[in-house]
Amino acid sequence: MARAAEAVGLDSLWLGDHLLYDLPGGITRGPWEVWTSLAAIAAVTERIEIGPLVASTGFHAPAMLAKQAATVDAISGGRLVLGLGAGWNEREYRAFGHPFDRRVSRFEEALTIIRTLLREGRCDFRGTYYTVEDCVLDPMPVRPGGPPLMLGSIGPRMLRIGLPHVDSWNVWWSDYGNSASGFRDLRERVEQAALESGRAPGTVAATAAVLVQLPGGGGRLMGETYNAAVGPVAGTPGAIADHVRDMAAAGAAHLQLVLDPITEASIEVVGEALALLDSE
């Protein structure tokens, strides 16, 4: 599927950073580990950008997360975009032994360590939750200054923490209604927060995940407490192309298409939508 995404002309490919979900009916489901998977995809693709959507800072010691990111960036030849967030699914934290309390405070310290290592290569930090002593990141990431950083949150406190430092922010489809109008309103709020954090207008790119349902799709279940009833974009080339245009007009700089189902056939339909956009 990664090769198919690159072949049809997609700009980027993203994997969620989750460990397991409890689903209705007593079902427990889990994906593959994200950094191992990104390394594999980096090795079998050549052009497409890759990234976690988004990496939970609570699943790894922050210096190790920076090390993983630098490694995947090297394997990909500098194609990593590092999305970061504090996580939300308490079930997987408890199951795998990660602390769930003070997630935003922990994120703030982790972000300081991660960005310092990726951008400067060395960090000394002593906080409430994390300590690193003369940590050196070697080898450094391929991209000068490290991979672009993306904040995977629209929470007010997370925005205050992240917007001074990141290159972009991202919102999940269920948090803005999966509509261009909903995204436009949200982008205006986040842009104001960016200005208040000291960033110049337009310097933090706005990105959004978009739910697209194709033939055979059965809905996106993400756990019983995180399954907003939001209408998907119809999975036809024309409808996808129209929605991409509308989201661009609403200020989106980049979109992650969340395909339902995630198959090579779905990717081929997106390729047809891209062909329509390229022909304009």
Side-chain angles (χ1 to χ4, degrees):
M1 286 192 288
R3 293 189 181 104
E6 187 166 66
V8 302
L10 288 172
D11 295 314
S12 62
L13 190 148
W14 305 80
L15 300 181
D17 184 13
H18 284 284
L19 305 174
L20 59 82
Y21 302 103
D22 284 338
L23 303 178
I27 299 170
T28 299
R29 185 185 71 188
W32 296 116
E33 192 278 322
V34 69
W35 287 105
T36 311
S37 301
L38 286 170
I41 289 172
V44 299
T45 55
E46 297 178 355
R47 174 194 57 80
I48 199 167
E49 287 191 319
I50 58 175
L53 191 68
V54 292
S56 171
T57 57
F59 292 165
H60 304 278
M64 279 304 302
L65 199 156
K67 187 74 171 178
Q68 291 166 304
T71 302
V72 171
D73 191 58
I75 295 169
S76 69
R79 293 184 281 127
L80 177 71
V81 178
L82 180 54
L84 295 170
W88 59 269
N89 184 12
E90 183 174 0
R91 169 72 167 95
E92 56 193 344
Y93 280 75
R94 300 300 185 203
F96 281 80
H98 301 303
F100 190 72
D101 67 305
R102 306 289 194 274
R103 282 176 298 126
V104 177
S105 296
R106 293 175 189 275
F107 174 85
E108 185 171 16
E109 292 189 6
L111 178 62
T112 299
I113 295 169
I114 293 165
R115 74 169 188 271
T116 301
L117 285 172
L118 290 174
R119 291 174 174 172
E120 301 175 18
R122 186 183 295 264
C123 183
D124 259 305
F125 182 88
R126 184 173 296 276
T128 302
Y129 307 101
Y130 302 111
T131 297
V132 294
E133 298 180 5
D134 192 24
C135 184
V136 176
L137 187 65
D138 184 65
M140 285 286 286
V142 172
R143 294 198 200 194
L149 300 180
M150 182 176 74
L151 178 67
S153 176
I154 55 171
R157 188 177 169 205
M158 288 287 285
L159 291 175
R160 289 195 298 271
I161 292 168
L163 286 177
H165 308 290
V166 297
D167 301 284
S168 62
W169 59 274
N170 178 261
V171 60
W172 191 244
W173 52 267
S174 56
D175 290 329
Y176 70 96
N178 210 45
S179 70
S181 60
F183 178 77
R184 180 182 292 106
D185 293 342
L186 175 63
R187 189 193 63 79
E188 291 173 357
R189 176 169 71 83
V190 177
E191 183 71 13
Q192 181 59 39
L195 292 173
E196 293 171 0
S197 75
R199 301 297 295 271
T203 55
V204 186
T207 76
V210 174
L211 178 62
V212 179
Q213 191 167 67
L214 297 104
R220 291 278 298 185
L221 289 174
M222 297 173 289
E224 295 184 62
T225 60
Y226 198 84
N227 187 32
V230 174
V233 174
T236 65
I240 296 169
D242 288 344
H243 193 76
V244 169
R245 292 189 201 95
D246 291 343
M247 290 292 286
H254 196 93
L255 300 177
Q256 294 90 1
L257 302 183
V258 183
L259 304 181
D260 176 29
I262 304 173
T263 63
E264 282 194 57
S266 295
I267 293 168
E268 294 296 336
V269 173
V270 175
E272 295 176 33
L274 291 179
L276 290 175
L277 292 167
D278 289 340
S279 67
E280 297 176 355

